[in-house]
Amino acid sequence: MGDKSDKITARGPTVRRVPEGDNRTRLTCPDCGFIQYENPLIVAGAVVVEDGKVLLCRRSIEPRRGFWTIPAGYLELNETVEDGARREAREEACADIAIDGLLAVYTIPRISQVQLIYAAHLASPGIAAGEESLEVRFFDWDEIQTVEIAFPSVHWALAHRRSMTGPVPTAPFGNPDGETGDY
């Protein structure tokens, strides 16, 4: 046909610029002025302890396939953080968990993540590898030192949970001094 209706044009936020009244580059729409804000991702997870042992999942996906982690992942839209932590435990370890309290809030600017990690225990017995796990099992605290842990924040969460002698503190732990999650 060759008329104007055949021409496909880009719509929506396609130009990076500093919008008026802002101080950083944003993806914007040159036609309507819409600004697409890119914000950090929220990760929800749990350190699940049962009978003095810790639940770990061996990752079947990248990044860090084959390494061990706590059940955790990105929060979904319209989901509470607690529900996200419970969902991740179900997806990765087929585990039904009960949240004991907020253990830690970690900020990792290098990858634009905020991680909310809960202390938890099994609400009902039974675990099994989910789709994102090669295997799952409970580890003695000392045994954890012999496995390859996937991410720095998993080391932090395990250390923070192990340091607890009583109930979950009212103020959660945060990044260790000087730590930003870099490898």
Side-chain angles (χ1 to χ4, degrees):
M1 291 189 146
D3 66 17
K4 194 173 185 177
S5 64
D6 287 346
K7 190 176 191 180
I8 298 174
T9 58
R11 296 271 186 233
T14 59
V15 176
R16 287 203 173 273
R17 66 178 183 83
V18 178
E20 184 178 330
D22 206 336
N23 62 4
R24 58 185 73 208
T25 302
R26 310 277 186 193
L27 198 55
T28 61
C29 177
D31 296 326
C32 71
F34 175 80
I35 302 167
Q36 180 174 325
Y37 292 94
E38 298 171 293
N39 301 107
L41 295 171
I42 298 173
V43 171
V47 178
V48 180
V49 176
E50 195 70 25
D51 297 324
K53 295 184 177 194
V54 181
L55 176 64
L56 293 180
C57 307
R58 192 162 165 240
R59 294 176 59 83
S60 68
I61 60 172
E62 294 294 349
R64 312 291 281 169
R65 186 180 196 284
F67 287 71
W68 292 89
T69 189
I70 59 175
Y74 294 119
L75 192 65
E76 297 290 347
L77 294 176
N78 305 311
E79 182 176 55
T80 68
V81 183
E82 297 86 352
D83 286 345
R86 286 189 284 268
R87 176 185 49 75
E88 287 293 338
R90 277 190 311 277
E91 288 177 358
E92 295 179 11
C94 300
D96 179 21
I97 65 169
I99 303 282
D100 298 321
L102 183 60
L103 175 68
V105 177
Y106 303 125
T107 58
I108 306 176
R110 165 182 74 78
I111 53 176
S112 295
Q113 284 185 3
V114 176
Q115 299 183 3
L116 288 92
I117 307 299
Y118 290 88
H121 64 276
L122 290 181
S124 58
I127 60 170
E131 285 186 21
E132 296 179 3
S133 299
L134 296 169
E135 61 182 303
V136 296
R137 64 180 273 247
F138 282 98
F139 286 83
D140 289 319
W141 285 106
D142 293 334
E143 192 180 5
I144 292 171
Q145 297 172 14
T146 66
V147 298
E148 293 180 298
I149 299 297
F151 308 107
S153 59
V154 175
H155 283 286
W156 306 342
L158 292 169
H160 285 142
R161 180 61 182 89
R162 187 173 189 185
S163 74
M164 292 172 39
T165 56
V168 178
T170 55
F173 290 102
N175 294 37
D177 288 341
E179 290 288 341
T180 61
D182 291 337
Y183 287 95

